[in-house]
Amino acid sequence: MKKMIIISIILVSLALSTFGFLRAYSQDKPFFDMFSMAGEISQSKDSLLNYKAKIDRVLDKIKLEQSPTEKYFVTTTFSKYVSKEELEKLVKDYNVEVLAIEGRSIENGTMLKGTFFVAPENGMLYDEKLLLDMLKRNDAAFKGFTAVIANMQNQDIQKLRNNKMVFLIDTSADTHFVRNPEHEETNSWDGYAPSVFAELEKNNLLNP
């Protein structure tokens, strides 16, 4: 009986120490900081490409070490302006659980570029009428979609990253890797990693 009590105490101690280790490990994750990320990629063309290489190494790692069905909160930056039809096909083919879509508009008179966001609504990928009304109010033309913020399974991420329309699938805001208090709900796009599309334009890296 005494031996059983001692064994029980040891097992409880081990369990508590393991819990403490996991808790400490979780707290050791850095906080996600989109401003630091923006600063990192905006310095030069090389800094942008180095950032992409760093994220690609993360994707290589999760491909080998994580379940194919594990989900991640990602921002996919396109390598070109993407049409509505191209976006719809991509979302369907790669099981993209869209939270928000980034797009580009151009004012007709001034030719100034603008960035807008649309989100799924009433079973639609986005409200096309709402977008057209917004463009009309601003006397602007639709240029194309530039990024999508979504939840995706590991296996779909690995397939999508090989698509020529994609420049980067960024997992840096995902809570597997960082503490992100802004992103508390899985169906929200709060606390997202900004797209790098503007940097692609600035560095002439867009595909035709």
Side-chain angles (χ1 to χ4, degrees):
M1 182 69 177
K2 195 171 183 181
K3 187 180 287 188
M4 287 180 66
I5 292 171
I6 292 171
I7 290 170
S8 296
I9 291 171
I10 291 171
L11 288 174
V12 169
S13 298
L14 285 171
L16 287 172
S17 64
T18 302
F19 173 76
F21 171 77
L22 291 173
R23 187 177 177 188
Y25 178 78
S26 174
Q27 290 176 343
D28 283 345
K29 290 180 185 176
F31 279 102
F32 174 64
D33 184 350
M34 69 162 58
F35 299 106
S36 294
M37 175 203 156
E40 183 178 350
I41 65 174
S42 63
Q43 297 174 27
S44 65
K45 178 179 176 179
D46 284 344
S47 67
L48 173 61
L49 295 177
N50 288 339
Y51 181 80
K52 173 177 165 52
K54 180 177 77 173
I55 298 300
D56 282 341
R57 288 193 294 273
V58 172
L59 299 186
D60 290 340
K61 186 177 176 65
I62 65 172
K63 179 181 180 180
L64 294 173
E65 298 180 1
Q66 300 299 322
S67 165
T69 57
E70 188 73 13
K71 282 191 179 180
Y72 294 87
F73 177 47
V74 299
T75 298
T76 299
T77 299
F78 300 128
S79 61
K80 62 185 279 294
Y81 286 108
V82 170
S83 69
K84 175 190 173 186
E85 293 75 22
E86 288 173 321
L87 179 64
E88 289 174 338
K89 186 175 188 308
L90 182 144
V91 167
K92 181 179 178 182
D93 289 350
Y94 298 96
N95 306 306
V96 182
E97 297 176 17
V98 177
L99 301 171
I101 307 160
E102 180 187 270
R104 178 60 55 79
S105 62
I106 299 183
E107 289 186 4
N108 292 318
T110 63
M111 301 305 291
L112 287 174
K113 295 175 181 177
T115 298
F116 64 84
F117 290 88
V118 290
E121 190 172 341
N122 300 323
M124 300 182 292
L125 191 55
Y126 64 94
D127 190 327
E128 190 171 5
K129 183 179 183 304
L130 197 66
L131 174 57
L132 292 174
D133 288 346
M134 182 274 292
L135 293 170
K136 185 176 180 181
R137 284 196 308 273
N138 290 278
D139 189 25
F142 173 70
K143 180 70 175 175
F145 294 112
T146 55
V148 61
I149 302 155
N151 291 318
M152 290 187 69
Q153 290 188 0
N154 187 8
Q155 59 192 355
D156 296 314
I157 290 172
Q158 303 303 335
K159 294 173 187 174
L160 179 58
R161 65 190 291 206
N162 295 316
N163 189 301
K164 291 181 180 179
M165 288 197 301
V166 169
F167 175 75
L168 176 69
I169 303 178
D170 195 345
T171 57
S172 63
D174 184 89
T175 52
H176 284 81
F177 312 107
V178 292
R179 296 159 70 186
N180 190 350
E182 295 285 328
H183 187 66
E184 293 182 348
E185 299 178 13
T186 55
N187 62 346
S188 165
W189 57 289
D190 292 341
Y192 71 99
S195 87
V196 300
F197 195 85
E199 297 303 316
L200 293 182
E201 285 186 304
K202 185 174 78 176
N203 291 290
N204 298 313
L205 290 172
L206 288 180
N207 289 337

